[in-house]
Amino acid sequence: MIEVEDLTKYYSGRSAISGLTFRIEKGEIVGFLGLNGAGKTTTLRILACLTLPSSGRVRIDGLDAETDAHEIRRRLGFLPDAPPLYEEMSVSSYLRFVAELKGLSRREAAMRVEEVIDTCRLNEAREQLIGTLSHGFRQRTGIAQAVVHRPSLLILDEPTGGLDPVQIVEMRELIKRLGGEHTILLSSHILSEISQTCDRLLIIHEGRIIADGTEAAICQRMSQDQDAGILELEVEGPEGISAAETGERARSVVGKVQGVLTSRVVGQRGRRVQLEVEFNTDRRPAVARAIVESGLGLVRLDRRAMELEAVFQRLTQGSRAGFLPSTAAQRNQAEVKA
Ligand code: ATP
């Protein structure tokens, strides 16, 4: 649905984004995550055909953003960071006005406005002047104007910006509801606001994409790239031995494996005991061997994936390590070769 190839934008000789390449498939909800100034708004404005790139290409539904901008605008809805709202109009008359502006007939517009008022939970504010709305209702009105003409693609720049915790939850639910009908790209600089809503994340830092994938895949891959980490271990003791004794035996066995720093029992179920083992070098085969040779049963041995919060911090701390999960990396390489 969206194909972005080597996209670069300079402002006064300084690059705001540099060589962005990614794809978004039909029906996906993708989160565009980056710190302030990372280049999110610049990218979204180019995708929405409001700004031209300095170089690179954008195709949406196979249409070129430079030559078919008019047709692309018909197919997309955009919520900018400051929604274009007319303060003196009521919510319903403003939405009718936007719908007709976007080409819907008077009758269609009236019907569609009722639908979006319902979807965006704007009923209680429908006759209120926009200038008197709370921030949460303004944002929802901004989303309603973006979807009123039934676009297939929805681009939302910081939809949760400035909302309180209750409004953030409501906005997440609204975005998920809209995900059934639209492909959605939304930006945020706050990880928790985006990770629960999106199928996939694009992480941008200093104008470059540094990670692309599902939360689980990004965390998994980052964890594998680290030497140190935590193992989750479950062992089963022989009949007649207490769980406490099994735990102590397991701790003593893994403690002798080189690279293991600490271990602790974190739970038990019947004869099974769960442990967390901290290590500075991943020695899973050695841990497994030691457990089995000690006469304990090895039920489970997993390396715990890093939490996304830690991954995001690591990725955006100074270095541009350049992390992409294999599918995206391969895809990018293939595109560069093509
Ligand atoms: P935020 O979360 O703070 O909105 P962002 O990730 O959306 O940040 P952009 O607004 O795209 O980032 O800005 C990327 C860089 O480009 C920043 O350094 C910004 O100062 C610069 N920039 C953006 N727009 C302009 C402009 N019109 N003229 C000059 N520089 C600009």
Side-chain angles (χ1 to χ4, degrees):
M1 166 132 222
I2 302 181
E3 297 162 83
V4 171
E5 205 179 299
D6 208 12
L7 205 62
T8 296
K9 175 77 181 175
Y10 290 100
Y11 290 114
S12 322
R14 279 191 58 205
S15 68
I17 52 168
S18 184
L20 301 194
T21 297
F22 61 86
R23 291 171 69 102
I24 295 177
E25 306 299 338
K26 192 166 187 295
E28 278 191 301
I29 303 182
V30 174
F32 201 35
L33 180 67
L35 302 176
N36 289 126
K40 303 178 297 293
T41 297
T42 302
T43 310
L44 298 187
R45 287 181 58 83
I46 294 172
L47 296 187
C49 302
L50 296 171
T51 306
L52 282 172
S54 305
S55 63
R57 281 187 86 177
V58 174
R59 265 183 247 110
I60 293 179
D61 272 348
L63 299 165
D64 190 295
E66 215 163 310
T67 52
D68 304 311
H70 186 67
E71 178 54 29
I72 289 177
R73 278 194 213 108
R74 261 181 16 90
R75 297 177 187 207
L76 71 80
F78 183 50
L79 173 76
D81 46 5
L85 304 175
Y86 293 119
E87 311 283 316
E88 303 301 323
M89 290 178 100
S90 72
V91 171
S92 61
S93 51
Y94 167 70
L95 292 175
R96 255 194 319 275
F97 167 71
V98 174
E100 288 178 29
L101 202 67
K102 296 209 170 158
L104 271 64
S105 71
R106 202 159 243 242
R107 201 163 149 267
E108 275 177 318
M111 273 167 49
R112 185 62 189 149
V113 165
E114 291 311 309
E115 282 173 18
V116 296
I117 282 181
D118 207 39
T119 314
C120 299
R121 306 282 194 265
L122 283 165
N123 276 302
E124 64 183 271
R126 56 177 300 142
E127 299 314 328
Q128 203 172 324
L129 291 185
I130 288 175
T132 67
L133 292 176
S134 69
H135 187 61
F137 275 106
R138 283 179 80 86
Q139 283 298 87
R140 280 192 256 167
T141 307
I143 292 198
Q145 65 77 31
V147 297
V148 75
H149 59 303
R150 285 204 181 83
S152 48
L153 171 64
L154 197 51
I155 296 177
L156 309 173
D157 195 0
E158 302 264 1
T160 51
L163 298 183
D164 67 35
V166 173
Q167 292 168 332
I168 287 174
V169 173
E170 286 170 359
M171 183 58 76
R172 265 192 226 135
E173 284 164 4
L174 171 58
I175 291 167
K176 280 189 180 156
R177 273 201 303 281
L178 293 169
E181 277 182 62
H182 312 266
T183 302
I184 301 180
L185 175 61
L186 71 141
S187 75
S188 178
H189 61 277
I190 300 171
L191 176 61
S192 57
E193 289 178 11
I194 213 168
S195 63
Q196 293 172 37
T197 322
C198 300
D199 305 321
R200 184 156 68 88
L201 297 176
L202 288 168
I203 302 182
I204 184 170
H205 185 51
E206 295 177 356
R208 293 172 190 271
I209 300 284
I210 53 169
D212 173 356
T214 62
E215 177 176 343
I218 290 175
C219 292
Q220 193 65 40
R221 179 153 297 239
M222 263 312 265
S223 308
Q224 281 165 8
D225 289 349
Q226 308 287 306
D227 291 330
I230 290 176
L231 293 180
E232 292 176 347
L233 177 65
E234 187 169 24
V235 296
E236 186 173 274
E239 297 243 23
I241 287 196
S242 71
E245 217 175 310
T246 300
E248 275 320 299
R249 195 191 285 185
R251 289 194 60 218
S252 151
V253 168
V254 297
K256 293 189 186 115
V257 175
Q258 201 190 354
V260 168
L261 301 174
T262 61
S263 66
R264 64 191 186 100
V265 173
V266 292
Q268 74 165 85
R269 209 172 340 115
R271 280 163 45 215
R272 293 186 175 180
V273 177
Q274 294 86 40
L275 298 102
E276 274 182 3
V277 180
E278 194 190 344
F279 58 88
N280 59 15
T281 321
D282 188 355
R283 301 287 312 279
R284 270 173 289 180
V287 170
R289 218 171 19 249
I291 291 288
V292 172
E293 282 171 2
S294 76
L296 294 172
L298 178 61
V299 181
R300 190 166 69 86
L301 178 62
D302 281 330
R303 189 179 170 146
R304 181 183 294 168
M306 277 175 87
E307 302 278 324
L308 188 58
E309 193 98 34
V311 169
F312 184 47
Q313 264 178 18
R314 224 188 132 78
L315 285 171
T316 53
Q317 259 165 15
S319 86
R320 232 185 241 157
F323 161 76
L324 287 169
S326 54
T327 51
Q330 284 158 4
R331 206 160 51 207
N332 286 348
Q333 273 171 11
E335 279 172 3
V336 169
K337 277 183 200 143

